[in-house]
Structures are given as C-alpha cells and as structure tokens.
Amino acid sequence: HTWVYMEAQVHGVCEEESELGGPKFDPPVYKQRYAAVIEIARKFSAKKIVDVGCAECKLIRLLKMEPYVEELVGVDIDGACLSRRTHVVQPLTTDYLCPRKRPLHMALMEGSVAEVDARIKNFDLLSLVEV
C-alpha cells in the first residue's frame, strides 16, 4: 500500500477532494484511512474499539459490520454533531432479523483528544482518523 496524507478542512466542514481543486486520489484518502483501520482491527481481532474525532460516524458505520467487534465508542468534541448522529448507534431492523453471534454495544460520547478520559480505558484499538 502507498499511504497518502491530505487534510481538507474549510470552515469546520470536510470538503470532498473533487471540490478542492488539488490532487485526486482513487480511492479517496478517507476511504484509504478507514480501510487501514479496519485492516488493523481485523488483524488483531479488536473487540473494543474507540474512534476519537468520529464526527459523522462514517468509520463507526463500517466497523459495526465487523463480526468480531463487541463494543464501539465514538468520541467527538462537537456535542451538537453527535446528537445528530445518535441513529448510528441504534439497532437496525436487520439486527433483530439476523442477530449477531456476539452482542454489539455502541455509544457516542462528547470529549476531546486533548484531555484524559477514563471512559475510554481498556479498549483494544483507538482510532484517530482525520482529527
């Protein structure tokens, strides 16, 4: 793999690469980053994962499909953003129709990467993608 680093933040809103007028990556950089996190999680069979800077919960949506994951926590400094994403941690209809072999517990929490947070102790994997 060739890993590429690119940050795109304008007025607090992430922009699509195509709108920035700079280099374009295929697949987009954020997808490469998420794939790398999922690859590491699979390699180590991480059961408890925390995503710091989860914002739109895109990575959490991908990780919740991984059968080995038993606990997923998203942490972000923007409480308003988290309140708009509470549906992400709610069970889907398919979760009741085809239950997982292992239960999945999910939560979103307001917090900062700059502060020690006892709530995220004892996790197998901590992700800091696009923070």
Side-chain angles (χ1 to χ4, degrees), residues 1-127:
H1 295 287
T2 302
W3 301 109
V4 183
Y5 183 80
M6 183 175 131
E7 287 296 324
Q9 194 94 0
V10 179
H11 305 296
V13 177
C14 290
E15 300 287 330
E16 289 293 321
E17 289 175 3
S18 60
E19 297 173 8
L20 297 175
K24 293 176 178 60
F25 300 93
D26 186 27
V29 174
Y30 76 92
K31 288 184 179 181
Q32 293 179 43
R33 291 176 180 158
Y34 294 165
V37 171
I38 292 168
E39 184 178 321
I40 291 167
R42 284 180 183 156
K43 180 179 179 179
F44 295 100
S45 299
K47 293 179 182 177
K48 297 174 67 176
I49 302 173
V50 86
D51 181 22
V52 178
C54 64
E56 297 174 0
C57 300
K58 289 179 183 178
L59 180 58
I60 289 174
R61 290 174 200 221
L62 296 171
L63 286 167
K64 76 189 257 185
M65 302 312 212
E66 297 295 316
Y68 52 85
V69 177
E70 296 177 4
E71 186 171 358
L72 267 176
V73 174
V75 178
D76 202 276
I77 197 165
D78 187 345
C81 182
L82 291 177
S83 66
R84 291 189 302 272
R85 304 286 185 255
T86 56
H87 64 279
V88 173
V89 297
Q90 301 302 316
L92 301 171
T93 304
T94 56
D95 295 333
Y96 296 107
L97 297 173
C98 300
R100 297 168 53 102
K101 290 181 181 177
R102 298 179 180 144
L104 174 62
H105 303 282
M106 298 177 62
L108 297 177
M109 298 188 272
E110 190 172 349
S112 171
V113 69
E115 298 173 10
V116 175
D117 193 334
R119 299 174 298 175
I120 59 173
K121 288 172 99 175
N122 301 316
F123 277 79
D124 302 321
L125 180 76
L126 184 133
S127 170

